[in-house]
Amino acid sequence: MRKIRIFLPIILIIIGSGIILFQRNHLEKRESQSSNLFENDPKTEYFGIYLKGYKVGYLASRVDSTKDGYRVYSTTYMKLSPIGGMEKEVTYKIVANADFSYNLKDFEFSMFSDNYLFEAIGKRERNNLIVEFTSGGVKRKIIYEIKSSYLPATIEGLVKTGKIGNFKFFDPTLPSSDSLFDISVSVTGKDTIDGIPVIKYVVKQSGIDVLFWVTEKGELLRSESPIGLLMKREKGLIKKDIKPVGFKLYDSYAIRVEKEIKNPREISFLKVRLDSVPLSGLRIEDDRQTLNGNILTIKKIQPGSSSLIPEEVKEFLKPSPFIPSDDERIKTIAKEVVGDKRGLEAVERIISYVDKKLEDKPTFSIPDPIEALNSGEGDCNEHAALAVALLQASGIPARVEVGLVYINGAFYYHAWVGAYLGGKWVSSDPVFGQVIADPTHIKLEYGGFESQAKLYRVINKLQITVLDYD
């Protein structure tokens, strides 16, 4: 059985609401970065990270005063078991400079896992936030327009100041062309934790509520999110308590169903009921999916016969920072793979190439086609990103689609490819080698990280009932 995921980036963005450390000019060797983090520093605060009751990591943070504000450091480390018998470590760090109200000035960010390394540097310049990042050995730049004079450096810092209201927030753990998220902060009342009086804040972000418990002195004691993620303040760093054994990340968020789907890769029709979550705001319906209330019907469709590409579809031919379809290496490979083929035959060649090129392997990374080519491995995210880049380079509008797929009695979170062929959006899945994806692929959204973040509202809540299939 192939194992797949899209979940880790969603975990990272919520943990990213805290603060992270990275000093570019003091970058340690990778093998030592997950240990000896502030262990002898009395100014450091420690937080245990728990997923569904399992301690999977920690966050160590420190704030230093500067002449005109604060320099905020922290390191987040997690050890996760995506599947039984496998453990993966992921660490990310930032140093962020801010003024006395935690208004962001600049930051440097690093994320690494196994041999994967991602780096980003951001700086405020008047009404812009300029971010330069390196992924797959290639440097790229994104310029974000900031319409507000206030951009919180961290959500933790924001709630510590007691500020409430609506804000824009930039999260470096999910870099994309639109990583400025709308957030709102409000106070829900007072509480106590271990006998300590606290103020309880709720931060609304991407359709979910993240809760923070802060003392009257501005000390964060606890935060929780509805996906089963908990961070709580602890007296020190107790690494031996990190025991992901028994917690299988993919399985823990799978949606079990009572009715078995036999030969799921071969069916042509599926009808399901989606319960327990609001579906408004999700871009579920398309040429293959029809939603009537909470009843979703999915059909396996073939390309149409139209040669026209509507204006709204042409945007899916354009490169983006994390789908660099204009990269010379991508264009060269696309030309070699596709040759003189067009339409569905071109898609078939690209799907086959990606399926053979990338080893199916759980990968904790920010998906990037160039990095996938360099490593020769990846999970569904890397497969989808590389396939979309090659399709766009071949003149075929394409996008990353995210949702769920059925495997052995359950629906797992997954990512695949949508290609615009003959006037229709056709789903393809390079992980399964499917040029026409089977109808157990339930699309909930499409697009980059900012769109995938909408899945916050359904993870850990969505229930699926299989009504019929053929």
Side-chain angles (χ1 to χ4, degrees):
M1 181 179 74
R2 302 190 186 212
K3 291 292 184 178
I4 45 191
R5 65 92 187 167
I6 63 168
F7 182 71
L8 188 71
I10 296 175
I11 295 175
L12 292 183
I13 192 174
I14 296 177
I15 295 175
S17 64
I19 47 183
I20 320 155
L21 161 72
F22 171 52
Q23 293 223 39
R24 188 181 185 88
N25 55 342
H26 292 98
L27 183 63
E28 306 95 339
K29 293 182 179 179
R30 293 181 191 176
E31 60 267 24
S32 66
Q33 286 182 317
S34 62
S35 60
N36 301 321
L37 304 174
F38 302 114
E39 289 187 80
N40 300 312
D41 187 347
K43 295 172 60 179
T44 299
E45 297 178 344
Y46 300 99
F47 296 85
I49 300 173
Y50 298 80
L51 273 174
K52 296 193 172 184
Y54 288 85
K55 188 170 185 178
V56 298
Y58 58 82
L59 185 153
S61 66
R62 189 183 79 220
V63 179
D64 291 344
S65 296
T66 64
K67 64 179 182 180
D68 54 1
Y70 301 107
R71 181 168 292 116
V72 187
Y73 306 89
S74 92
T75 297
T76 299
Y77 165 79
M78 290 184 291
K79 182 186 289 185
L80 300 164
S81 294
I83 58 177
M86 175 184 289
E87 289 187 356
K88 289 280 188 176
E89 295 178 298
V90 58
T91 302
Y92 61 101
K93 304 182 176 187
I94 277 184
V95 59
N97 289 301
D99 64 18
F100 288 112
S101 63
Y102 282 92
N103 194 6
L104 179 66
K105 294 180 179 179
D106 57 61
F107 71 87
E108 296 186 8
F109 171 76
S110 170
M111 170 185 172
F112 51 94
S113 176
D114 292 335
N115 293 321
Y116 175 80
L117 175 65
F118 175 88
E119 298 174 279
I121 301 173
K123 184 178 181 180
R124 291 276 297 271
E125 291 187 3
R126 296 180 182 176
N127 295 328
N128 294 322
L129 176 64
I130 301 173
V131 180
E132 296 181 343
F133 62 91
T134 303
S135 180
V138 179
K139 292 185 178 182
R140 301 166 205 159
K141 179 189 291 187
I142 308 177
I143 300 177
Y144 303 90
E145 183 181 1
I146 303 173
K147 297 181 180 179
S148 171
S149 60
Y150 186 74
L151 185 67
T154 69
I155 294 180
E156 181 192 47
L158 183 61
V159 296
K160 281 185 173 184
T161 64
K163 291 181 181 292
I164 59 174
N166 299 316
F167 307 92
K168 287 286 188 180
F169 175 65
F170 177 80
D171 196 303
T173 65
L174 282 189
S176 73
S177 57
D178 187 16
S179 289
L180 285 173
F181 291 86
D182 290 310
I183 63 171
S184 67
V185 183
S186 59
V187 175
T188 64
K190 294 186 177 182
D191 201 348
T192 59
I193 293 181
D194 297 329
I196 301 173
V198 293
I199 301 171
K200 189 177 179 181
Y201 291 86
V202 58
V203 178
K204 295 182 179 294
Q205 179 180 356
S206 301
I208 67 167
D209 293 348
V210 182
L211 302 176
F212 293 82
W213 286 262
V214 181
T215 69
E216 294 179 355
K217 294 181 179 180
E219 298 175 324
L220 176 66
L221 297 187
R222 184 184 183 97
S223 70
E224 291 182 10
S225 81
I227 66 168
L229 176 66
L230 163 68
M231 288 201 306
K232 61 180 181 179
R233 187 164 180 169
E234 297 178 346
K235 292 183 178 179
L237 197 61
I238 309 175
K239 290 183 288 186
K240 66 180 181 180
D241 289 348
I242 301 173
K243 298 177 180 179
V245 176
F247 177 71
K248 301 175 184 178
L249 183 64
Y250 298 167
D251 289 344
S252 69
Y253 291 95
I255 302 172
R256 306 288 169 183
V257 292
E258 292 185 3
K259 185 174 183 178
E260 178 187 4
I261 301 177
K262 297 181 179 179
N263 302 315
R265 309 286 80 87
E266 306 300 324
I267 69 172
S268 59
F269 161 84
L270 175 67
K271 180 181 286 187
V272 296
R273 187 175 71 241
L274 307 178
D275 292 314
S276 301
V277 295
L279 301 176
S280 59
L282 296 173
R283 294 177 291 187
I284 296 176
E285 292 193 278
D286 60 16
D287 295 307
R288 64 190 288 273
Q289 299 191 171
T290 303
L291 187 64
N292 184 6
N294 64 341
I295 305 299
L296 180 64
T297 302
I298 308 171
K299 296 179 180 179
K300 189 174 183 177
I301 65 169
Q302 297 291 330
S305 58
S306 174
S307 60
L308 298 177
I309 300 178
E311 285 299 320
E312 64 270 18
V313 175
K314 289 181 180 178
E315 69 173 288
F316 298 102
L317 284 169
K318 298 176 182 178
S320 62
F322 285 88
I323 303 289
S325 51
D326 57 346
D327 181 87
E328 288 301 321
R329 185 176 176 188
I330 294 291
K331 291 193 294 184
T332 298
I333 292 174
K335 186 175 181 179
E336 293 173 351
V337 170
V338 171
D340 61 352
K341 301 300 181 181
R342 297 292 181 268
L344 188 61
E345 289 183 304
V347 175
E348 183 175 4
R349 288 198 173 190
I350 289 172
I351 295 300
S352 177
Y353 170 81
V354 174
D355 185 25
K356 294 175 182 177
K357 176 68 176 177
L358 301 185
E359 178 186 355
D360 296 336
K361 185 177 180 180
T363 305
F364 293 165
S365 65
I366 295 173
D368 183 278
I370 305 300
E371 178 67 30
L373 287 171
N374 291 342
S375 66
E377 62 186 32
D379 54 33
C380 61
N381 287 298
E382 284 74 26
H383 283 73
L386 178 56
V388 168
L390 293 172
L391 287 165
Q392 290 182 354
S394 303
I396 298 173
R399 65 194 186 191
V400 175
E401 298 185 342
V402 294
L404 300 123
V405 68
Y406 180 87
I407 303 174
N408 291 355
F411 283 90
Y412 288 78
Y413 286 97
H414 187 42
W416 57 92
V417 174
Y420 194 78
L421 296 172
K424 294 182 180 180
W425 281 106
V426 176
S427 292
S428 300
D429 190 342
V431 169
F432 290 98
Q434 291 185 315
V435 179
I436 306 293
D438 66 78
T440 74
H441 289 70
I442 299 176
K443 177 181 69 67
L444 299 177
E445 258 298 339
Y446 62 82
F449 297 122
E450 69 281 1
S451 297
Q452 294 183 26
K454 295 179 184 178
L455 298 191
Y456 286 168
R457 68 187 71 175
V458 307
I459 289 176
N460 223 28
K461 296 179 181 178
L462 179 63
Q463 296 180 355
I464 299 176
T465 301
V466 176
L467 301 176
D468 193 14
Y469 71 91
D470 185 20

